[in-house]
Amino acid sequence: KDQKAPFLMSGCKVADGYGSMLVTGVGINTEWGQLMANLSEDNGEETPLQVRLNGVATFIGMVGLSVAGVVLGVLAIRYFTGHTKNPDGTVQFRAGTTGLKQGFMGAIRILTIAVCILNTSIQLIS
């Protein structure tokens, strides 16, 4: 009975009366369909929250990389100067006496620790 806007939207309920209806659009051709198409359209712009989260993620990544680099440096210096010890109390690396294979395995252990720290920081930001 509304002569100004004689349209029914999807989901409308008629409480009383009688009438006939002509369907003029379905799917994307309805008001609801156009609204949903506009909402799902990706215009490539980031929201302010996404911008801030990307900044935080970048910061966490830089801190993680820095910490991993410092840990790698400190552990390598300690290892190759003979300041790290085995569980039995013996020195892990002695220049001139430690074999190439044992020295290489010690360096791999140190690198593994640094990579684990870096991997943890990457997991935090994703």
Side-chain angles (χ1 to χ4, degrees):
K1 191 147 181 165
D2 186 0
Q3 296 300 320
K4 294 179 185 175
F7 298 102
L8 290 176
M9 299 291 189
S10 175
C12 289
K13 295 183 181 181
V14 178
D16 189 35
Y18 62 93
S20 60
M21 180 174 66
L22 172 65
V23 176
T24 59
V26 294
I28 193 72
N29 297 321
T30 62
E31 290 290 324
W32 182 257
Q34 289 174 1
L35 177 65
M36 288 297 108
N38 288 338
L39 287 178
S40 65
E41 193 174 280
D42 185 15
N43 57 8
E45 295 180 16
E46 291 184 330
T47 65
L49 178 60
Q50 288 173 322
V51 171
R52 292 188 74 185
L53 287 175
N54 286 339
V56 170
T58 301
F59 177 73
I60 290 173
M62 290 188 321
V63 168
L65 183 61
S66 301
V67 169
V70 168
V71 167
L72 177 66
V74 168
L75 290 179
I77 290 170
R78 285 182 47 87
Y79 179 74
F80 289 113
T81 58
H83 288 89
T84 55
K85 298 184 183 202
N86 292 318
D88 62 359
T90 60
V91 176
Q92 287 184 353
F93 181 84
R94 285 200 174 122
T97 58
T98 302
L100 181 63
K101 182 179 178 183
Q102 187 178 359
F104 182 73
M105 293 308 291
I108 293 295
R109 277 194 301 270
I110 292 168
L111 185 63
T112 302
I113 292 169
V115 169
C116 286
I117 292 170
L118 188 58
N119 186 33
T120 303
S121 69
I122 289 171
Q123 286 179 352
L124 283 175
I125 62 176
S126 58

